Amino acid sequence: MSLRALTPMLRTPDLAASVAFYTQALDFRLSAGDVAGGWVSLARDGVELMLSGLNAHEGDVAPAFTGSLYLRTDDVDGWWHRLRERARVCYPIEDFAYGMREFAIYDNNGYLLQFGQPIAAFDPV
């Protein structure tokens, strides 16, 4: 018995705006579903993300999530230059003592997206 993937499902009050953010700012593509149906699946580089409208069964009234989505990349500086003016920044690009170079932005709903890349010369000792 094994797990094969983890695909986040983020809820949004404006599905069309969220699809626009992820397809225009991050170059995801629509792989299934549609805005009119209230659910979409997006993909890019083997990374998948699902978006849906708010869930009336659970009483959603606004987006809510206490964690973050951490996206590992091979060009964190390129992503920083692309996104720093397109999204609200949580923290700018920085090298961290735990061996990652990263930054974080918020999507159009306020979900935290972190982008990170290992620092090549990092020595954990």
Side-chain angles (χ1 to χ4, degrees):
M1 181 167 49
S2 65
L3 300 173
R4 299 188 184 257
L6 174 65
T7 305
M9 168 82 82
L10 301 178
R11 296 181 188 141
T12 173
D14 188 344
L15 186 54
S18 295
V19 169
F21 177 85
Y22 283 92
T23 57
Q24 294 169 14
L26 299 176
D27 288 336
F28 275 78
R29 63 174 173 69
L30 185 67
S31 57
D34 59 42
V35 172
W39 170 86
V40 300
S41 181
L42 303 169
R44 181 205 160 114
D45 302 329
V47 173
E48 295 181 69
L49 173 68
M50 292 187 288
L51 301 171
S52 74
L54 298 179
N55 187 329
H57 298 289
E58 293 186 26
D60 291 345
V61 293
F65 183 65
T66 60
S68 67
L69 301 179
Y70 196 96
L71 298 129
R72 293 179 182 263
T73 178
D74 61 358
D75 186 7
V76 72
D77 289 283
W79 279 108
W80 170 245
H81 291 292
R82 177 185 177 125
L83 296 172
R84 66 184 177 187
E85 301 296 327
R86 294 175 125 175
R88 184 167 55 105
V89 173
C90 176
Y91 61 88
I93 197 158
E94 182 179 344
D95 291 344
F96 287 89
Y98 47 84
M100 295 296 286
R101 180 166 176 77
E102 61 187 50
F103 69 92
I105 61 166
Y106 297 99
D107 80 355
N108 64 303
N109 295 292
Y111 292 118
L112 183 61
L113 307 178
Q114 294 174 271
F115 292 77
Q117 178 178 9
I119 300 168
F122 177 68
D123 182 6
V125 178

